Amino acid sequence: MVLALLVSGIVVLLVLVGLFVFGLRRRLIQRSGGTFDCSLRWNVPEDDPGPAGKGWVYGVARYSGDRIEWFRVFSYAPRPRRVLQRDSIEVLERRTPQGEEELALLSDAIVLACLHEGTRLELAMSEDALTGFLAWLEAAPPGQRVNVA
């Protein structure tokens, strides 16, 4: 009986520590400011027949100079999973979520199809975050290439 209570207590403690670390990591990412919720779908095939809602990963993006650092929400990694350079991002199209994507993404999300160094990707973010993202892209220093559709 004592052993079962001890094991249960340890399991509860580990769950609480895990949740605390998730929260602490998110606070550390957001500490420098310039963050927004952003789902990512990486390496989208060009002949994608239609959005099926698969492949989306929920994350947080952070502006960092001339790049965007993208972190998975459900991860303990202290470093960004993807880094997108401003001068390498080409916006291809903007659309609303379709079909099963509506269930996979946040309710007010707008999907932005992009090309980054030859890789097709899609970013899903709120209208406000999209406005900020596009303004950030267009605010590139003189002499840098900016491709916004």
Side-chain angles (χ1 to χ4, degrees):
M1 178 70 173
V2 173
L3 181 61
L5 287 174
L6 181 64
V7 170
S8 298
I10 290 172
V11 168
V12 168
L13 181 66
L14 288 175
V15 168
L16 290 175
V17 167
L19 291 174
F20 175 77
V21 171
F22 269 134
L24 178 65
R25 177 180 171 268
R26 176 123 182 186
R27 293 287 277 175
L28 290 174
I29 291 169
Q30 292 178 327
R31 183 176 62 183
S32 64
T35 61
F36 58 97
D37 292 333
C38 177
S39 295
L40 173 73
R41 195 163 82 135
W42 189 261
N43 208 9
V44 179
E46 282 192 46
D47 57 347
D48 194 18
K54 294 181 181 177
W56 285 104
V57 181
Y58 184 61
V60 175
R62 176 175 67 188
Y63 296 107
S64 180
D66 283 339
R67 62 188 189 162
I68 286 193
E69 300 171 335
W70 184 84
F71 299 83
R72 290 178 68 129
V73 167
F74 301 109
S75 171
Y76 291 110
R79 294 189 177 174
R81 178 71 175 227
R82 302 280 182 205
V83 176
L84 307 175
Q85 297 293 335
R86 179 175 12 208
D87 60 351
S88 299
I89 299 172
E90 180 180 346
V91 177
L92 303 175
E93 70 173 313
R94 171 184 172 170
R95 62 180 175 80
T96 57
Q98 302 167 355
E100 293 178 21
E101 274 185 331
E102 293 178 7
L103 301 173
L105 300 173
L106 296 174
S107 62
D108 63 341
I110 304 293
V111 177
L112 198 64
C114 301
L115 192 63
H116 181 262
E117 297 177 352
T119 302
R120 275 182 61 91
L121 61 105
E122 292 180 337
L123 301 168
M125 59 191 86
S126 69
E127 187 73 41
D128 292 340
L130 177 64
T131 301
F133 178 79
L134 293 176
W136 175 79
L137 274 179
E138 292 174 358
Q144 283 191 349
R145 170 181 69 95
V146 176
N147 297 310
V148 178

